[in-house]
Amino acid sequence: MRKIALALAFAGAALTAGTAQASPASIEGKWKTDDGRSVIAFYKCGNAMCGRIDRFLVPEPAGGARDTENPKAALRDRKLLGLRIFWDLTADGSRFKGEGYSPEDGRYFDAQVWRSGNTLKVKGCVLLFCRTANFTRA
C-alpha cells in the first residue's frame, strides 16, 4: 500500500512539473526604441518589471523634454527623462503583461512585452486598437 501511495505522489509531481509553464525570457536591461529616439531601461520593481526612459538619443529642448501631452494638466510639466512608462509587468506564459504610458500622445495602455531572439517586442493596446514595436539592445 505504501508503494502505491509513493508511486501516486511521484506521478502527481511529474504531472504538475510537466504542465508548469516556463517563465518568459528576461526583458531586463536597456533597449533602444524602434524610432531610435530613446533608450528604455527595464528593471525589477518589487515582484514585477518596470520600464523608464533612461536616455534620449536626440537633442532635448532647453530645460528638458516634458510630459506635455499628459491628460492630467498637473503632470504636464514633469520631465520625461527618468519617467516610468511601464509598470506591473508580470510573467504570463511567454510574455510579461502590465500597464504602459506613451508620453508622445498621453495615452495609457495595456502592455505586453516579450523577447524574440535579440529583439524586444512591445505591444500596446487601447480598447481594440493595438500596435507592436520592436526594440533592440542598447
Side-chain angles (χ1 to χ4, degrees):
M1 189 68 146
R2 188 167 185 206
K3 288 182 181 181
I4 293 172
L6 275 172
L8 288 174
F10 283 124
L15 286 174
T16 304
T19 59
Q21 292 184 342
S23 296
S26 175
I27 61 172
E28 197 166 0
K30 296 181 180 185
W31 298 87
K32 185 169 65 167
T33 57
D34 61 346
D35 63 7
R37 295 173 37 191
S38 59
V39 172
I40 308 301
F42 284 90
Y43 57 95
K44 291 181 183 176
C45 55
N47 293 329
M49 297 292 292
C50 292
R52 65 175 165 74
I53 300 173
D54 186 65
R55 72 176 192 259
F56 291 106
L57 302 174
V58 295
E60 286 186 78
R66 305 290 176 161
D67 193 10
T68 57
E69 300 300 317
N70 197 298
K72 297 177 184 175
L75 299 177
R76 292 182 186 151
D77 195 43
R78 68 181 175 174
K79 288 190 176 188
L80 293 180
L81 189 62
L83 182 66
R84 186 173 63 172
I85 59 172
F86 293 97
W87 59 94
D88 292 336
L89 295 169
T90 56
D92 186 359
S94 63
R95 299 177 181 199
F96 288 88
K97 294 181 180 179
E99 302 297 321
Y101 171 70
S102 171
E104 288 183 9
D105 57 16
R107 290 183 192 228
Y108 292 87
F109 56 89
D110 294 325
Q112 293 183 36
V113 182
W114 70 98
R115 293 272 302 273
S116 178
N118 291 328
T119 302
L120 188 69
K121 303 272 190 177
V122 178
K123 181 178 181 181
C125 297
V126 177
L127 297 174
L128 298 175
F129 301 98
C130 298
R131 178 179 177 264
T132 300
N134 297 309
F135 292 8
T136 54
R137 187 68 78 175

